[in-house]
Amino acid sequence: MNRRQVMLSLGGAALAAGLPGPSVFAAGKVAHGSKSVLIVVDVQNCFVSGGSLAVKDGDVIVPLINKIATGFENVVLTQDWHTADHVSFASQHAGKKPFEAVKLPYGDQVLWPDHCVQGTEGASLVKDLSIPHAQLVIRKGFHKGVDSYSAFTEADGKTSTGLGGYLKQRGMTRVFVAGLATDFCVAWTAMDARKQGFETYVIEDACRGIDAQGSLGKAWISMKTAGVKRIQSGDLA
């Protein structure tokens, strides 16, 4: 399945296959050290309770992420950072509604409610997120003509955010991903980390998903196929 097909299926164009049990993906106890990085994806006001694209129970994971982050020497945060007229917003397409899809030059694009507009309160990191030792904030989706779920590569599949080079320059070899939402920005970040050659883990209980018409199950299957390992916070050694 290519990138465009996966993007459309994650948006609800196809019903997900049955989701295997946790044991299929479990990685067991996993040690992390100076060559590991925790990427905390899009823990922003728009994606939690009261936000324009709220993920169910998105607030719940914040204390857990804070706790997990204390065990990591290296932490990177991401923010969706859209222009007010971003191409991924349903409001920019006459007659279209959120969660419908359109064809753009780079492929099929899921349309979203307006969210995480640059400089707005909705785009701010959740105030209870407390990771003072985070070393980098990657802002993505700021090119108005292309979406960017992944922290590594925009949705056209070729425009880099520079994160991969940054991590490699610093000698990182393992990537751990947490945040919002599991089936979109977390999944794409994890799969692109694998493409960049990093050993990659998604910390399932430190994420929450949108699950639009089976997109969560589909995302886990796609991540497994890409070689991403699925763990719980208790699996961190």
Side-chain angles (χ1 to χ4, degrees), residues 39-62 65-66 76-83 89 113-131 137-142 147-151 178-181 184-186 189 206-208 210:
I39 302 178
V40 178
V41 176
D42 296 359
V43 183
Q44 296 168 260
N45 290 326
C46 273
F47 298 129
V48 298
S49 179
S52 61
L53 188 49
V55 179
K56 184 179 179 182
D57 295 330
D59 315 69
V60 172
I61 64 173
V62 175
I65 289 175
N66 290 341
V76 170
L77 310 178
T78 77
Q79 281 180 286
D80 254 9
W81 200 249
H82 295 309
T83 60
F89 294 169
D114 290 17
H115 66 281
C116 296
V117 173
Q118 297 169 6
T120 65
E121 184 62 22
S124 297
L125 296 171
V126 171
K127 65 180 179 61
D128 291 332
L129 187 70
S130 180
I131 311 177
V137 178
I138 287 284
R139 285 175 169 170
K140 56 189 180 64
F142 52 82
D147 208 358
S148 186
Y149 297 144
S150 169
L180 303 169
F184 288 93
C185 295
V186 168
T189 295
C207 305
R208 289 294 185 274
I210 294 174

Side-chain angles (χ1 to χ4, degrees), residues 8-178:
L8 184 57
S9 66
L10 287 181
L15 293 176
L19 180 62
S23 62
V24 175
F25 301 105
K29 287 290 182 181
V30 181
H32 58 283
S34 62
K35 293 186 176 182
S36 297
V37 60
L38 174 67
I39 302 178
V40 178
V41 176
D42 296 359
V43 183
Q44 296 168 260
N45 290 326
C46 273
F47 298 129
V48 298
S49 179
S52 61
L53 188 49
V55 179
K56 184 179 179 182
D57 295 330
D59 315 69
V60 172
I61 64 173
V62 175
L64 179 58
I65 289 175
N66 290 341
K67 180 180 178 181
I68 291 169
T70 63
F72 279 83
E73 179 180 337
N74 306 297
V75 182
V76 170
L77 310 178
T78 77
Q79 281 180 286
D80 254 9
W81 200 249
H82 295 309
T83 60
D85 58 350
H86 198 267
V87 71
S88 71
F89 294 169
S91 62
Q92 300 302 306
H93 301 267
K96 293 294 184 180
K97 298 178 181 179
F99 305 105
E100 293 183 350
V102 296
K103 289 189 178 297
L104 295 178
Y106 56 84
D108 298 300
Q109 172 66 52
V110 177
L111 298 179
W112 306 106
D114 290 17
H115 66 281
C116 296
V117 173
Q118 297 169 6
T120 65
E121 184 62 22
S124 297
L125 296 171
V126 171
K127 65 180 179 61
D128 291 332
L129 187 70
S130 180
I131 311 177
H133 64 291
Q135 299 150 346
L136 180 70
V137 178
I138 287 284
R139 285 175 169 170
K140 56 189 180 64
F142 52 82
H143 294 124
K144 73 175 184 179
V146 59
D147 208 358
S148 186
Y149 297 144
S150 169
F152 291 91
T153 310
E154 296 189 8
D156 61 3
K158 60 185 180 181
T159 304
S160 173
T161 68
L163 179 58
Y166 169 83
L167 296 178
K168 289 174 183 178
Q169 286 277 328
R170 295 195 55 213
M172 301 295 120
T173 59
R174 279 185 168 183
V175 167
F176 295 78
V177 189

